[in-house]
Amino acid sequence: MSWRDVKPIDCDVHVVVPHTGVLLPYLDDYWRDYVTVRGVRNLDMTSYPPTAPLTSRPDWRPETGHAGTDLALLRRHVFDELGAQIAICNVIWGAQALHHHHLAAALCRAVNSWLAAEWLDQEPRLRASIVVPWQNAAHAVEEIERCAADKRFVQVLLLAMADQPLGREHYWPIYEAAVRHGLPVAIHAGSAYRHAPTSLGWPSTLLEDYVGQASAFQNQLMSLICEGALAKFPNLKVVLVESGVTWLPAFMWRANKIWRAMRMETPWVDRPPAAILRDQVRLTLQPFDAPPDAALVEQVIEQIDSDRTILFATDYPHWQFDEDEVIPPGLSADLARRVLVDNALGTYPRLESLS
Ligand code: ZN
């Protein structure tokens, strides 16, 4: 049986804002004038340059325009060909990187309204993450409150690199609002580019930037644990999207070992970090960075010690998608079913009506 027959829930599909013009109907008069007069034509994220090979598989790239901008193509690729029953849209766009937090709030609001009207309203199998102006937590909470009334928004979207570590209290109102509305918080690969994307400084290539994201995810998990955010919000679910998977066991081991020596620093962390991560953190499958060896894959899953952790994702239209090998060899039928469907239902309360 193919994984397609299980009708997976795809937890990471990218819808792309082709240019700021599509958002104009969703901006109020002031911001429409502002964007027009200032010539804010686009805010493509440097993390995903539209023409870079990483940004789209060749067979998913449209003849003209950016990949991820055409609903008919998305419908064909994700639902018809891959057999997804539901797909969660993540918009990675530069509004989250702006220094002007009022403009960021206006553009995030416009992105979410555009998503609802031009994607969710047109395709009932789509769900979406709320893009929030995290530069200002009050603005972010306001946007969560506005969108949460629409049950098709199933999580809150942040990026792997912000202007400060995500465990800091600046972000806690976002977590409080997310928990209150039954919304997990996704941390997707990407950066607001307040800092170099590697701890060594600014790299020369997108390759270094992208591979280096794994260390940002690790640092964010330590921040969420050590600053007490995960302890403060025990019902908060954090979904790492496009983080890779196989670094997690080594990271858990290291975090547990050093925590034992240094736990006097963090009295609110009352159990080993790996136990907290198993309860509150999930990871999407693509890219799956394991060698093509069933025994090794089985070992990684065993070391994570949870069959609830991994969520299916294609990362459409990015090139990370492994096609027929998307479900790693060595997964039992039961575990494959959990990864493809059940774990998403367990993670996203707003998908429960599907079960
Ligand atoms: Zn992605």
Side-chain angles (χ1 to χ4, degrees):
M1 189 178 71
S2 157
W3 58 267
R4 287 174 171 83
D5 299 327
V6 179
K7 293 267 171 207
I9 295 174
D10 189 339
C11 297
D12 186 28
V13 160
H14 292 288
V15 164
V16 172
V17 177
H19 53 82
T20 312
V22 301
L23 303 180
L24 294 180
Y26 306 99
L27 290 164
D28 66 25
D29 292 347
Y30 173 78
W31 290 112
R32 192 179 308 117
D33 282 353
Y34 184 99
V35 163
T36 307
V37 171
R38 288 285 306 272
V40 184
R41 292 192 181 84
N42 211 338
L43 296 170
D44 282 332
M45 289 294 283
T46 318
S47 319
Y48 295 92
T51 54
L54 187 69
T55 305
S56 177
R57 279 167 56 102
D59 52 334
W60 285 345
R61 201 177 275 283
E63 280 174 25
T64 55
H66 297 338
T69 57
D70 185 326
L71 175 60
L73 280 184
L74 183 149
R75 204 179 261 140
R76 184 191 334 146
H77 293 144
V78 174
F79 295 115
D80 299 347
E81 294 175 8
L82 302 179
Q85 59 168 307
I86 288 289
I88 301 173
C89 303
N90 291 318
V91 175
I92 309 295
W93 198 57
Q96 290 188 312
L98 290 170
H99 285 273
H100 187 331
H101 62 88
H102 295 296
L103 176 60
L107 288 172
C108 286
R109 196 161 52 238
V111 167
N112 294 320
S113 298
W114 169 78
L115 258 178
E118 304 200 17
W119 294 80
L120 305 184
D121 282 356
Q122 312 303 323
E123 174 47 69
R125 293 169 289 184
L126 286 177
R127 300 292 185 275
S129 302
I130 305 170
V131 180
V132 293
W134 56 344
Q135 298 91 327
N136 178 316
H139 286 329
V141 169
E142 206 175 302
E143 187 57 7
I144 294 170
E145 298 294 345
R146 188 181 78 88
C147 294
D150 182 343
K151 300 290 183 204
R152 300 171 302 178
F153 285 100
V154 298
Q155 73 183 346
V156 173
L157 181 64
L158 306 180
L159 300 175
M161 288 172 265
D163 58 356
Q164 45 182 321
L166 289 176
R168 292 275 166 84
E169 290 190 29
H170 167 86
Y171 299 103
W172 288 18
I174 297 176
Y175 306 146
E176 191 277 329
V179 168
R180 186 154 34 82
H181 290 290
L183 298 159
V185 170
I187 302 175
H188 191 286
S191 176
Y193 291 102
R194 299 292 189 270
H195 311 286
T198 83
S199 56
L200 309 175
W202 292 95
S204 299
T205 63
L206 178 62
L207 171 62
E208 290 163 276
D209 178 326
Y210 192 79
V211 174
Q213 302 267 336
S215 62
F217 281 105
Q218 296 182 11
N219 296 336
Q220 295 295 16
L221 288 184
M222 282 315 287
S223 172
L224 288 163
I225 292 169
C226 293
E227 299 279 357
L230 294 182
K232 174 76 177 175
F233 303 103
N235 295 323
L236 176 66
K237 287 279 188 301
V238 175
V239 181
L240 306 187
V241 190
E242 251 185 85
S243 64
V245 175
T246 55
W247 52 268
L248 189 62
F251 170 77
M252 285 173 149
W253 179 87
R254 186 174 162 80
N256 276 3
K257 185 170 173 73
I258 308 301
W259 169 76
R260 284 192 197 101
M262 299 299 294
R263 56 188 297 183
M264 42 76 71
E265 282 190 313
T266 54
W268 44 85
V269 182
D270 57 0
R271 59 200 173 123
I276 299 171
L277 298 177
R278 281 185 197 107
D279 280 351
Q280 292 186 254
V281 173
R282 305 288 178 260
L283 297 89
T284 63
L285 192 58
Q286 296 283 290
F288 190 62
D289 42 10
D293 176 321
L296 283 175
V297 169
E298 222 168 300
Q299 268 178 26
V300 169
I301 306 275
E302 244 176 61
Q303 286 162 358
I304 294 172
D305 192 23
S306 170
D307 51 10
R308 292 170 299 162
T309 303
I310 300 175
L311 310 176
F312 176 79
T314 59
D315 200 20
Y316 176 88
H318 295 169
W319 207 344
Q320 284 85 342
F321 179 57
D322 286 325
E323 213 166 345
D324 287 336
E325 288 81 43
V326 66
I327 290 298
L331 252 57
S332 67
D334 179 51
L335 186 51
R337 159 95 207 168
R338 285 172 189 268
V339 169
L340 288 161
V341 178
D342 298 344
N343 289 351
L345 293 176
T347 302
Y348 297 101
R350 290 178 171 219
L351 297 184
E352 268 170 12
S353 55
L354 293 170
S355 56

